[in-house]
Amino acid sequence: MAELADHGPALGRPRPLWRDRDFSVFWAAQTLSVVGDSFALIALPLLVLRATGSVAQMGLLTAVAGAASVVAGVFAGVVVDRLDRRMLLVVCDLARMVLYGLVPLAWAFGPHIWLLYVVLPLGEAVGMLFSVTYVTAVRALVPGARITRANGRLNATAAAAGVVGPVFAGMVAARFGPSAAVGVDAASFGVSAACVSFVRFRGRPREDERTGGGTPWRELLAGAAFLRRHPVLRTLTVLLSVFCFLTLGLNDLIVYRLKHDLGQGDGAVGTVFAVGAVGTITGALLVAPIRRVLGFGMTWIGGVAVCGLALAGIGSAASVPVIGALAAGFLGCVSVAGTCSMSLRQEVTPDHLLGRVTSAFWTIHYSAAPVGAAALTWAAQRCGTAAVCLVAGACCLVTAVLTLFTPVRAPRPEHSGDPA
C-alpha cells in the first residue's frame, strides 16, 4: 500500500496531521457528521418514548436496527475490499441523508413509529458499510506508525463535536420536537458527502490481492479466517462480543433513567450526553500516550474495567451531574479500548484484507448485542435500572479480569509476528 508522505521535505521531521490536506478534509467531514449523529442519538429514543412511553419499545427498535447492522456486516467487507473507498463513503452518506430526512417529513403529519422500524434498520445497515470503509480509509491516509494517533485525533474531535451536538439536540427537541433534530442529522450527512468527495485515497490493492483467487464463499470468509489465525484478534472478538451484549442498550437506559425514574426534561438528556462526550474526548486524546507507556494489553483491560465500574453506578445515581460524570467515565474508557482495538487491526492486517477483517470482527462481536439491548431494556422496565446496571457492570469487570489470562494482555502484539 502506498502511504502518504509523513515527513517534511527539508528537515525530515514528522508532518503534523493537520497539515495533510486529504486527512484534514476527511477529519472535518467526520467531525461535522458526528454533530448530526448526536442529534439522532437523542432524538430517536425521544420520538419512541413520546409516542409509546415504553423503554421496552425503545430497546426493541435498537435491537432491530442492530440486527440489520449485523446482517450488513457479513457482506460489507467484500464490498469495501472490491470498490472505490471514496465512492462508497459518499454513497453511504447520501443514502443516510435521504433515509433520515424521511422522518421529519413523515412526523409533520403525526407520529409514525412503523417508519422508524424501516428507516433505522436501513440506516444502520448503510452505516455498517460506511464504518467498515472508514477503517480502511484511515489506513489509506496515514502510515501505520501513526494510526493510533490519527484514530485518537479523529475520535477526539468527533467527541468534541458531540459535546456541542447533544446540548443543541436537547434544545431543538424541546423547542421544535425530536423529529426536527433527526432532520439536522440528515443534513449533516449531505455536508459530509460533499467534503469526502474531495478526499484522495491511495494504495488500492491489485485485483488478484482483492479476490485472493478463491471462490466467492471463501472470499467472504477470508476475514474470519484471518481473525481465527491471529490469537490476539481472535480473543478480542470473543471478549468484545460479551462487552457489546452488556452495553449496547446503555443509551436507552440513560434516557429511561433520566426521563422516567428522575422526571427530567429533554434538556437534561442532552446535557448528560454532552458531558459524556467530554469523556470520549479525554480518552481519545490520551489513548496514544497511554498505550505507549502501558502497552496494548493493560490499556485495553484497564479501559474495560473502568467501564464496568461506571456502568454499575449509572443505574443508582440520583442526580444529573453524577450520571453525567459516570457516563463520561464510561465513554472515555470505551474510547481508549475501542481506539486500541481498531488501531491494532489496522496495524496487523494486510490492506487487501482489511475490509473483510473489519467486517468479520464487527459482525461476530456485534451479533449478540441487539439481543442484549432488548434484554437489558426489558429487564430495566420490570426490575429497575439500578439492578440491571449493577449486574451488567459486574459482568464487565469479570470480563476484564478474565482477559488477564489471555493473549490480549501482551504489551506489543503488533510486533509479535502473528499471521498477517
Side-chain angles (χ1 to χ4, degrees):
M1 179 186 71
E3 296 175 342
L4 296 180
D6 191 39
H7 299 282
L11 301 178
R13 295 175 180 174
R15 177 182 298 170
L17 289 171
W18 61 268
R19 292 186 59 190
D20 187 293
R21 173 197 172 275
D22 291 313
F23 181 80
S24 296
V25 173
F26 181 77
W27 194 354
Q30 300 320 303
T31 302
L32 290 171
S33 182
V34 170
V35 173
D37 282 339
S38 63
F39 275 68
L41 177 70
I42 293 174
L44 290 172
L46 288 175
L47 280 176
V48 177
L49 192 60
R50 283 190 176 187
T52 67
S54 170
V55 68
Q57 189 78 251
M58 294 162 61
L60 180 60
L61 181 60
T62 300
V64 171
S69 181
V70 170
V71 173
V74 173
F75 307 98
V78 175
V79 175
V80 170
D81 284 338
R82 280 181 170 271
L83 300 181
D84 180 75
R85 291 162 176 151
R86 181 175 62 179
M87 180 270 291
L88 279 175
L89 290 172
V90 171
V91 169
C92 288
D93 271 339
L94 293 177
R96 288 185 292 178
M97 179 186 70
V98 173
L99 285 170
Y100 289 106
L102 293 174
V103 174
L105 291 177
W107 243 256
F109 302 97
H112 297 280
I113 295 297
W114 65 268
L115 180 63
L116 298 182
Y117 282 93
V118 175
V119 168
L120 196 54
L122 288 175
E124 287 295 307
V126 175
M128 171 59 80
L129 179 59
F130 180 94
S131 296
V132 174
T133 311
Y134 171 94
V135 172
T136 66
V138 175
R139 168 75 172 266
L141 287 172
V142 296
R146 306 184 73 189
I147 283 177
T148 300
R149 185 184 307 173
N151 285 329
R153 297 289 178 84
L154 285 162
N155 291 340
T157 51
V163 172
V164 178
V167 174
F168 283 103
M171 295 171 59
V172 171
R175 177 67 178 85
F176 302 103
S179 61
V182 178
V184 175
D185 186 29
S188 74
F189 287 125
V191 175
S192 176
C195 292
V196 171
S197 64
F198 292 101
V199 177
R200 296 166 298 180
F201 298 107
R202 305 181 184 182
R204 295 298 297 161
R206 301 189 309 270
E207 179 66 25
D208 59 334
E209 290 181 321
R210 292 202 298 267
T211 63
T215 64
W217 180 247
R218 185 174 181 179
E219 183 183 351
L220 187 67
L221 295 179
F226 183 88
L227 291 176
R228 180 178 56 81
R229 295 194 304 269
H230 196 290
V232 176
L233 294 184
R234 180 176 66 238
T235 308
L236 275 176
T237 304
V238 176
L239 295 172
L240 280 170
S241 297
V242 176
F243 184 78
C244 288
F245 178 91
L246 296 168
T247 61
L248 181 63
L250 180 60
N251 288 339
D252 293 337
L253 291 179
I254 290 176
V255 172
Y256 187 69
R257 177 67 177 166
L258 292 168
K259 298 283 290 181
H260 179 269
D261 297 350
L262 302 180
Q264 298 291 329
D266 293 350
V269 175
T271 300
V272 166
F273 280 97
V275 173
V278 174
T280 304
I281 296 172
T282 304
L285 290 175
L286 294 178
V287 60
I290 291 175
R291 181 180 174 183
R292 186 167 56 248
V293 173
L294 299 181
F296 175 87
M298 293 310 300
T299 301
W300 194 91
I301 293 169
V304 172
V306 176
C307 283
L309 293 172
L311 177 56
I314 286 175
S316 58
S319 70
V320 172
V322 174
I323 293 176
L326 291 170
F330 178 88
L331 292 174
C333 290
V334 166
S335 178
V336 168
T339 301
C340 277
S341 173
M342 181 169 68
S343 299
L344 180 65
R345 291 198 312 277
Q346 292 167 317
E347 290 162 356
V348 303
T349 305
D351 187 60
H352 68 279
L353 279 175
L354 185 54
R356 281 166 286 178
V357 168
T358 299
S359 178
F361 185 84
W362 284 349
T363 300
I364 294 169
H365 87 248
Y366 194 64
S367 59
V371 178
L376 261 64
T377 52
W378 176 87
Q381 186 160 301
R382 283 156 180 77
C383 305
T385 52
V388 171
C389 288
L390 180 61
V391 171
C395 290
C396 288
L397 282 172
V398 171
T399 301
V401 172
L402 292 176
T403 306
L404 293 169
F405 304 95
T406 72
V408 175
R409 71 181 185 275
R412 301 286 183 266
E414 66 273 20
H415 301 313
S416 63
D418 290 320

